[in-house]
Amino acid sequence: MTVKLGAHVDQEDPLAEAADRGADLVQFFLGNPQDYKAPKLAYADGEDALKERAAEAGVDLYVHAPYRLNVANTNNRIRIPSRKLLQQTLDKAAEIDVKGVIVHGGHVGDDDDPEAGFDNWRKCIERAELPVPLLIENTAGGENAMARQLDRIARLWEAVQASGNDRLENVGFCLDTCHFHAAGEELPTIVERVLAITGRIDLVHANGSRDEFGSGADRHSNFEEGHIDPADIVAVIEAAGAPVVVETPNADNGQKADLDYLRAHLKS
């Protein structure tokens, strides 16, 4: 099995970052992930140049939507700007021919009925234009999260499928190892359990965890320094058979070390 391997990188020159890591793909933001400003490509030579050069280099591009997005939320001041920004991100990402836009599942308030959040997801997908794949990612914490644990992911997936969008094939799933570990879901069987719900895994975020199982903490570590057995990360990747983004810290070239670990341990 040959799996494409890459990393989350700085947005100014993702192709240089890919070359530095020997990566087959890169993931990056289109602007500040902590605000609602319209997406903007940081690559100095523009959209056409990035798209063409990435194709020439054989590097696939992925975009991570801003963390502030929460299309599930019942607060109009959060949900409506989130929908708008998500669509803007999809449209801008399509200009550089990305393989997918990754977005977190979001949450509702502690006192809200989670069914309202699932229905907000249904409405979001119903109205969305999907020029490129939208990959919904499981999240690590939050008691009223839409995609933290498998029972919620199952309900979210039902809502998405009920949207009636004529491009539902462009809604997929991104599996994050750190997030499932933090959520208290066992990694050795996670792929088969996710596939039983979604029927697909389009991308794996391969991350170690700085915190213990079930902590609810979204804090990534390099593979050999965290609380997840690196062999379990390898097993998830092999079972999923999907492209991989390493989102681990990169101090002292930590991402390159993690990618080298995968290259050494994945079955070819």
Side-chain angles (χ1 to χ4, degrees):
M1 176 183 65
T2 301
V3 172
K4 290 187 175 183
L5 302 175
H8 184 91
V9 301
D10 291 337
Q11 57 191 295
E12 284 74 14
D13 193 347
L15 297 183
E17 302 272 3
D20 177 66
R21 294 161 178 75
D24 306 308
L25 57 93
V26 284
Q27 173 187 283
F28 51 95
F29 294 114
L30 295 174
N32 185 342
Q34 300 293 354
D35 65 32
Y36 288 108
K37 291 182 180 178
K40 183 178 180 181
L41 183 69
Y43 189 67
D45 292 340
E47 287 81 3
D48 289 344
L50 178 59
K51 179 171 67 173
E52 293 169 6
R53 291 168 187 169
E56 291 169 0
V59 174
D60 292 340
L61 306 178
Y62 288 81
V63 161
H64 200 301
Y67 295 136
R68 292 292 298 274
L69 281 180
N70 186 357
V71 302
N73 204 279
T74 58
N75 185 332
N76 289 347
R77 295 183 179 181
I78 296 173
R79 185 181 67 261
I80 293 172
S82 293
R83 284 184 185 171
K84 179 180 179 181
L85 182 53
L86 180 59
Q87 187 63 62
Q88 290 174 328
T89 302
L90 287 162
D91 293 341
K92 176 59 72 173
E95 295 179 16
I96 54 174
D97 197 25
V98 304
K99 299 297 182 183
V101 169
I102 298 91
V103 64
H104 289 174
H107 58 87
V108 294
D110 290 345
D111 296 327
D112 289 332
D113 183 349
E115 286 301 317
F118 299 132
D119 197 51
N120 283 336
W121 259 109
R122 179 190 62 79
K123 293 173 183 176
C124 175
I125 299 300
E126 179 180 71
R127 301 168 187 177
E129 296 180 12
L130 298 167
V132 295
L134 175 65
L135 310 181
I136 302 172
E137 179 182 356
N138 63 295
T139 51
E143 293 305 317
N144 229 349
M146 302 293 97
R148 180 184 180 188
Q149 287 156 325
L150 290 172
D151 58 342
R152 292 287 183 94
I153 292 171
R155 185 66 193 91
L156 172 58
W157 215 252
E158 290 173 0
V160 167
Q161 297 305 305
S163 69
N165 190 301
D166 60 6
R167 299 202 68 183
L168 269 178
E169 73 278 2
N170 266 3
V171 180
F173 190 78
C174 174
L175 186 163
D176 189 298
T177 56
C178 172
H179 295 178
F180 269 132
H181 169 88
E185 298 284 1
E186 298 283 353
L187 290 184
T189 58
I190 197 63
V191 169
E192 63 186 83
R193 291 183 290 144
V194 167
L195 289 176
I197 294 167
T198 66
R200 59 193 288 177
I201 295 171
D202 301 83
L203 189 68
V204 172
H205 280 173
N207 299 309
S209 174
R210 288 174 53 188
D211 296 276
E212 295 182 359
F213 184 77
S215 67
D218 183 4
R219 299 196 297 178
H220 300 175
S221 75
N222 295 106
F223 293 170
E224 296 185 333
E225 298 171 2
H227 287 273
I228 300 175
D229 185 341
D232 286 343
I233 298 174
V234 170
V236 166
I237 293 169
E238 290 180 338
V244 175
V245 173
V246 169
E247 297 179 313
T248 57
N250 197 40
D252 300 320
N253 289 318
Q255 285 185 348
K256 189 174 186 300
D258 290 334
L259 287 166
D260 286 344
Y261 181 93
L262 295 180
R263 294 183 185 106
H265 291 86
L266 285 169
K267 298 172 183 176
S268 57

